């Protein structure tokens, strides 16, 4: 079993924990309180700005055959995911420009940026976000929320282009040949941050 496949296997129960979280369950039903999603949206916007920086830090270290992928990931995050957040800001009354990082956001982004000091470590650390959201998107799309705002959110992470980028990260992890135990340690820590992030409000 490849390293990435092993990470996905151990990650599945942790995705189930996320699906059971009140915030994710509320998105799935389409009845999450606007104030809760507004708070999450503001924090995730700040998170994604640093996520772009993580991709850029890794791109600086990347082998040539990974460089374009990391540039594409940074571009997609900045122009697609952040665009989604900006488009949802008004419907939810979010103030993205004046948002301030809370403890969960600050801890997660520090973990990612610190991990990205090493190429293989950085890929393993960021995989919970890419793979986790693609997995959540697929699961939530099986019975999508009626509220069009939440439906747009689900559709973004179930989009074939996003899924393809996630699969490419899996290939890059294996090609980076990380120490399996170290990759699992970082992946598990990233998944813990993912779960904690849903409690941001």
């Amino acid at each position: 079993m490849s390293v990435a496949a092993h990470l996905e296997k151990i990650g599945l129960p942790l995705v189930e924990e996320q699906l059971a979280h009140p915030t994710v369950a509320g998105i799935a039903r389409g009845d999450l309180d606007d104030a809760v999603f507004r708070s999450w949206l503001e924090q995730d916007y700040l998170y994604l700005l640093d996520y772009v920086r993580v991709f850029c830090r890794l791109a600086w270290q990347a082998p040539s055959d990974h460089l374009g992928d990391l540039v594409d990931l940074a571009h997609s995050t900045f122009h697609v995911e952040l665009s989604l957040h900006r488009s949802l800001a008004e419907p939810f009354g979010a103030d993205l420009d004046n948002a301030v990082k809370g403890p969960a956001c600050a801890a997660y982004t520090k973990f990612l940026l610190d991990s990205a000091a090493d190429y293989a470590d950085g890929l393993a650390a960021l995989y919970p976000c890419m793979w986790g959201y693609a997995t959540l998107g697929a699961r939530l799309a099986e019975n999508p929320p009626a509220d069009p705002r939440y439906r747009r959110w689900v559709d973004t992470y179930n989009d074939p282009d996003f899924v393809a980028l996630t699969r490419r990260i899996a290939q890059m992890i294996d090609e980076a040949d990380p120490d399996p135990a170290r990759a699992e340690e970082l992946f598990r820590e990233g998944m813990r941050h993912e779960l904690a992030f849903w409690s941001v409000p």
Side-chain angles (χ1 to χ4, degrees), residues 28-30 144-149 151:
R29 293 189 306 267
D147 187 319
R149 301 173 302 172
R151 176 65 181 266

Side-chain angles (χ1 to χ4, degrees), residues 33-53:
D33 185 272
D34 281 11
V36 174
F37 193 78
R38 176 169 62 247
S39 179
W40 178 88
L41 190 69
E42 291 172 350
Q43 292 300 299
D44 200 54
Y45 184 81
L46 298 174
Y47 166 87
L48 288 173
L49 289 172
D50 277 344
Y51 203 51
V52 173
R53 294 181 174 98

Side-chain angles (χ1 to χ4, degrees), residues 61-170:
Q61 306 170 65
S64 296
D65 57 343
H66 290 186
L67 180 59
D69 298 291
L70 289 162
V71 171
D72 288 347
L73 284 158
H75 184 276
S76 176
T77 302
F78 191 85
H79 291 285
V80 177
E81 286 194 76
L82 285 174
S83 177
L84 171 72
H85 286 53
R86 287 188 288 268
S87 70
L88 290 173
E90 184 176 351
F92 283 99
D95 185 1
L96 303 180
D97 292 332
N98 294 302
V100 177
K101 283 184 185 178
C105 182
Y108 195 3
T109 55
K110 182 180 187 304
F111 162 71
L112 289 173
L113 288 163
D114 288 350
S115 298
D118 177 89
Y119 187 67
D121 283 359
L123 291 176
L126 69 81
Y127 199 48
C129 184
M130 288 289 297
W131 173 78
Y133 271 65
T135 305
L136 285 173
R139 288 288 299 275
L140 295 178
E142 292 172 2
N143 186 23
D147 187 319
R149 301 173 302 172
Y150 293 123
R151 176 65 181 266
R152 286 185 57 220
W153 187 91
V154 170
D155 288 345
T156 295
Y157 296 108
N158 191 47
D159 184 88
D161 289 341
F162 184 80
V163 174
L165 289 172
T166 300
R167 298 317 312 155
R168 179 56 183 146
I169 283 287

